[in-house]
Amino acid sequence: MLAQQLVNGVLLGATYALFALGFTLMFGVLRVINLVYGFYFTAGAFLALWLTEAGISLALALPLAAIGAGAIAVVVDGLLLTRLRRAKADELSSLMVTLGAVLALYAGMTAWLGPDIRRLPPGLVGAGALDLLGVRVTVAQVLILAASGVLVGGLLWLVRGTRLGLAIRAMAEKPDAAALMGIDTARLAALVSFVSGALAGAGGVLIGLNFNAIHPYMGEAMMLRGFVVVIVGGLGDIVGALLAGLLLGIVEVLTAGYLASGLKEAVGFAILVLVLWTRPAGLFGRAGVARA
Amino acid sequence: MPAWLEDLYWTYQNVVTALGVNGLLALSMYVVLAAGQLSLGQAAFMGLGAYSSALMTLWFGWPFWLVLPAACAAPVAFALAVGGPTLRLSGVYLAIATIGLGEVLRAVYLNVDALGGALGLSGIPEQASPLLIFSVLGVALAVLWLVGRSGAGRAMEALREDATAAQSMGIDVRRVRLVVLVASAVLAGLAGALSAHATDFIGPNDFGFEPAVTILSFALLGGIGSPFAPVLGAWVLTLLPELLRGFADLRLVLDGVVIVLAVLFLPRGLLSWRMPRRAA
């Protein structure tokens, strides 16, 4: 029973981590709290829904949906945030702009498509389940874990192991100095937006597979998890977000299993507030947080 | 009251109530923005005021004159719990934590049977007359006007423009921020209690993400030059969807677009007139 709960928790946590990674990357490099991020998640799920309904296989629909969500992210960033970045506006301005934009996008999408919950076509992944030492794992869950692992590993390699990643880290450290070193910060900002949006979109497809409930506001419910993960992990900290995501998944599953399923959102938020009181730089925080 | 005015009032009672309540919510947003903070917990504070006041009336049968001030207790407690740690950090932490608060409370209202679950609470006696709602709004406006003109208002403005400079001038930054957040929670709690006792029904979705953003759009449309500006913004955004009935579905799209345009192109809001202040 406990082993099964832990496995379920890790699988859930992997999607939380995947979702939160793009959000924390965006904050770390671009210094914006981009609340439209939840919409990229919704967009990824809907794109996958439409593609699979059109008969395209999941193996192709997943990357296409991620690319689509990434493209939307680049457009949103260009329209809303480039102007603010150029004016060196404060973090709260970008937060407010993206908050307004995301409400308009969710509400517009609801007005267009209706609030109903949609489901992916049946039979996308095998219905079977594996039995590992008494722990039941569905094919969908294996797929989710594998895809999350590949994407997270790819992101870490990109940021830590490539020249591009070096440029990204330089820009996160000091955008002006990075620009003086010949880094095209505008193009890099677009690239970071694309990668973040694509991660959110992929997260949307995978969560859509796991819970099979796709609707316009699904990204909003997910943002709450995103906030918990990025703050517990430390704002802008990629490895922190990864660990915090797994932790949140496990805590939620254990809460739902042993306490009450209605409490799982509240437990995540209680952890968030507790971390803010005691370790505001995140559980694994090293760097100094920007204090007012 | 002449007959035609009475007719008009009965037809538009809900709109009249909404004007008063939304005016209070806009002021609740105004006090934090005026001190350079961004709290997105106004809808959550309102919900706490609405639910706690409804329970005091329905379960304990307290009189409304007691319920109304008591309804501020829960919002203030949550404001202190969330604001206490975040006010030491940069502004984004308060914003994130307060959006999260709204989402969590919505989940709690939905899942706790004693709070009516998805059905919400109904049968709340309609004890808040429009006269009472607008009196509270009037008092709040007057108080904020007087505070705004005083040294405290000057301190808030200094804080908004440059927190570090304000601190070096001897302003207790953390204390001003905490007081402002508590004031905001009180205003939103009052708005919640008044609206719960004016419409007889409250539900979990009345206080979630959408109302939280809508309240921000009130203050950003009006501006924060004086306490009258956000109330004007609230009234415009409350009346506009009533006038454009055909676009009811797009009301939230409008609120969102207003925020985007206001931040990008209209940073001082519609009413950019600033309140006069005596020379120091």
Side-chain angles (χ1 to χ4, degrees), chain B residues 83-155:
Chain B
T86 46
L87 293 178
R88 288 176 294 157
L89 309 165
S90 85
V92 296
Y93 285 86
L94 179 66
I96 290 183
T98 46
I99 307 183
L101 177 67
E103 291 286 318
V104 162
L105 288 175
R106 202 176 68 91
V108 171
Y109 301 144
L110 268 176
N111 288 307
V112 175
D113 291 337
L115 299 176
L119 296 175
L121 295 169
S122 53
I124 306 162
E126 296 186 21
Q127 289 167 320
S129 65
L131 182 66
L132 176 65
I133 296 176
F134 279 90
S135 306
V136 173
L137 178 61
V139 171
L141 268 173
V143 170
L144 289 178
W145 170 262
L146 291 174
V147 169
R149 288 188 46 147
S150 71
R154 205 185 293 273

Side-chain angles (χ1 to χ4, degrees), chain A residues 181-202:
Chain A
M181 296 299 126
I183 293 169
D184 186 344
T185 49
R187 264 184 63 195
L188 205 55
L191 180 84
V192 169
S193 296
F194 178 81
V195 171
S196 304
L199 285 171

Side-chain angles (χ1 to χ4, degrees), chain B residues 161-183:
Chain B
E161 296 303 328
D162 190 332
T164 316
Q167 191 153 30
S168 67
M169 291 298 172
I171 294 170
D172 187 341
V173 170
R174 274 192 65 190
R175 201 173 119 209
V176 174
R177 284 181 176 165
L178 203 59
V179 168
V180 156
L181 190 65
V182 166

Side-chain angles (χ1 to χ4, degrees), chain B:
Chain B
M1 211 189 279
W4 64 270
L5 192 60
E6 205 159 333
D7 277 355
L8 200 68
Y9 168 65
W10 287 114
T11 317
Y12 292 105
Q13 191 185 7
N14 289 338
V15 182
V16 173
T17 306
L19 286 176
V21 169
N22 288 345
L24 273 173
L25 290 170
L27 287 179
S28 155
M29 192 77 221
Y30 161 81
V31 289
V32 274
L33 284 177
Q37 290 286 102
L38 179 61
S39 152
L40 297 166
Q42 273 63 26
F45 296 147
M46 179 196 186
L48 286 164
Y51 269 92
S52 64
S53 69
L55 294 183
M56 288 178 227
T57 302
L58 294 175
W59 290 0
F60 307 125
W62 287 5
F64 192 59
W65 61 263
L66 185 62
V67 167
L68 191 58
C72 299
V76 168
F78 275 82
L80 292 174
V82 172
T86 46
L87 293 178
R88 288 176 294 157
L89 309 165
S90 85
V92 296
Y93 285 86
L94 179 66
I96 290 183
T98 46
I99 307 183
L101 177 67
E103 291 286 318
V104 162
L105 288 175
R106 202 176 68 91
V108 171
Y109 301 144
L110 268 176
N111 288 307
V112 175
D113 291 337
L115 299 176
L119 296 175
L121 295 169
S122 53
I124 306 162
E126 296 186 21
Q127 289 167 320
S129 65
L131 182 66
L132 176 65
I133 296 176
F134 279 90
S135 306
V136 173
L137 178 61
V139 171
L141 268 173
V143 170
L144 289 178
W145 170 262
L146 291 174
V147 169
R149 288 188 46 147
S150 71
R154 205 185 293 273
M156 282 162 65
E157 197 173 323
L159 198 56
R160 179 172 87 225
E161 296 303 328
D162 190 332
T164 316
Q167 191 153 30
S168 67
M169 291 298 172
I171 294 170
D172 187 341
V173 170
R174 274 192 65 190
R175 201 173 119 209
V176 174
R177 284 181 176 165
L178 203 59
V179 168
V180 156
L181 190 65
V182 166
S184 162
V186 165
L187 286 168
L190 289 174
L194 289 169
S195 107
H197 289 79
T199 53
D200 101 69
F201 165 81
I202 51 174
N205 291 326
D206 300 348
F207 312 109
F209 175 72
E210 295 166 355
V213 187
T214 302
I215 295 168
L216 177 65
S217 70
F218 295 161
L220 290 183
L221 179 66
I224 50 169
S226 72
F228 299 104
V231 175
L232 174 75
W235 287 5
V236 169
L237 286 177
T238 310
L239 288 176
L240 211 54
E242 295 295 328
L243 298 174
L244 310 169
R245 278 291 165 119
F247 297 95
D249 285 351
L250 298 178
R251 187 178 62 84
L252 292 168
V253 179
L254 172 76
D255 292 339
V257 170
V258 160
I259 294 182
V260 172
L261 296 181
V263 176
L264 291 180
F265 302 111
L266 199 71
R268 290 188 177 279
L270 280 183
L271 192 63
S272 54
W273 170 76
R274 294 165 60 137
M275 65 179 113
R277 193 171 279 151
R278 284 158 300 153

